[in-house]
Amino acid sequence: MSLTVTLATARRVLTQLRHDPRSIAILIAVPTVLMILLRYVFNSAEVFSNLAPALLGVFPLTLMFIITSVTTLRERASGTLERLMTTPMSKLDLLLGYALAFGLFALVQVLVVVGVSVLLGMTLLGSLWWLLVVTSLAAELGVALGLLASAFARTEFQAIQLMPVVVLPQLLLCGLFAPRDQMATVLQWVSNVMPMSYAVSAISQVTAHASLTATYVLGTLVVAGCTVVALVLAATSLHRKTP
């Protein structure tokens, strides 16, 4: 593993993303507009405060999964990824470079969306920094899962098809639509092994408690651990030659 190679890869990906206004709009404008719509559709600060924390875990993970998987598949289809894999660059260098680049974009997204949510009246009893940490980790998890999905997909369309398989079950069982402890026992078991559940739980702890809680610490550690595991699996699954 080489830090120089990783940073060079991240710089190349950032340069490409900077010249892709559609991706930037999806990453930043879409979740911001959705948060504003949510606030004024219900026209209640209390309802918004109940729903917004869960969405702060859902939006970064989902959008970063889409952007990362599609962009990576686009580079594979153009032959860029295969040419890079013929160099002495290790798979981990390549994926960490992608993860770093997309992670920086995700950080911008998180800063904007969290800032807008607070301005719209979302209750925040804990530290804003704790909230930024867990939402950034959720976004990085979306990046890692997107890289992992791109290792199995062959086209951009296939990458999009994987989203309902990877993201939708987590969305349904993370506690956004119903409290996890009120679900059927089997669904609780499934929810307990899904990282989005821990991200949403940790964010809810920040908004509801002024002090750091064990649930928050557990949630952030689980999300961070799942991110590392997904990156390692993506590195082992990435082929040097496109089939």
Side-chain angles (χ1 to χ4, degrees):
M1 176 179 169
S2 169
L3 179 60
T4 302
V5 175
T6 299
L7 292 177
T9 302
R11 185 165 53 249
R12 179 183 63 80
V13 175
L14 284 172
T15 301
Q16 291 178 340
L17 287 174
R18 193 176 58 203
H19 294 91
D20 187 356
R22 288 177 298 179
S23 296
I24 295 175
I26 291 175
L27 284 174
I28 299 175
V30 170
T32 302
V33 171
L34 289 176
M35 279 296 187
I36 294 173
L37 286 175
L38 178 68
R39 170 63 179 84
Y40 292 105
V41 163
F42 292 101
N43 199 27
S44 168
E46 182 180 355
V47 174
F48 179 73
S49 291
N50 291 332
L51 293 177
L55 292 177
L56 287 176
V58 170
F59 283 159
L61 192 155
T62 303
L63 292 176
M64 292 312 302
F65 175 87
I66 296 173
I67 292 295
T68 304
S69 58
V70 170
T71 302
T72 306
L73 261 298
R74 188 181 302 163
E75 292 216 323
R76 173 175 287 171
S78 67
T80 301
L81 191 60
E82 188 167 316
R83 288 193 295 271
L84 289 171
M85 294 300 292
T86 61
T87 68
M89 175 190 300
S90 71
K91 296 179 182 180
L92 194 57
D93 280 327
L94 180 65
L95 291 180
L96 286 178
Y98 277 86
L100 178 60
F102 287 116
L104 290 174
F105 261 82
L107 180 60
V108 175
Q109 178 203 64
V110 165
L111 288 171
V112 173
V113 176
V114 169
V116 169
S117 299
V118 172
L119 290 175
L120 289 173
M122 183 184 74
T123 302
L124 183 64
L125 297 181
S127 169
L128 179 61
W129 292 108
W130 299 344
L131 182 60
L132 291 175
V133 167
V134 67
T135 49
S136 298
L137 285 174
E140 195 63 48
L141 176 62
V143 172
L145 292 175
L147 291 172
L148 179 58
S150 69
F152 294 97
R154 293 293 172 263
T155 64
E156 295 178 27
F157 182 64
Q158 288 182 3
I160 296 298
Q161 286 179 314
L162 286 173
M163 190 191 74
V165 178
V166 177
V167 176
L168 189 56
Q170 298 193 66
L171 176 63
L172 293 174
L173 299 176
C174 69
L176 176 61
F177 299 102
R180 292 168 57 202
D181 57 4
Q182 296 180 16
M183 296 178 183
T185 303
V186 175
L187 295 182
Q188 290 185 38
W189 293 343
V190 177
S191 176
N192 288 338
V193 299
M194 292 185 169
M196 187 185 289
S197 301
Y198 293 90
V200 171
S201 177
I203 292 171
S204 299
Q205 293 294 305
V206 177
T207 58
H209 298 86
S211 59
L212 200 62
T213 65
T215 302
Y216 172 85
V217 174
L218 174 63
T220 54
L221 289 177
V222 169
V223 174
C226 289
T227 301
V228 173
V229 170
L231 286 174
V232 172
L233 290 176
T236 57
S237 305
L238 189 64
H239 302 288
R240 286 195 173 271
K241 184 175 180 60
T242 303

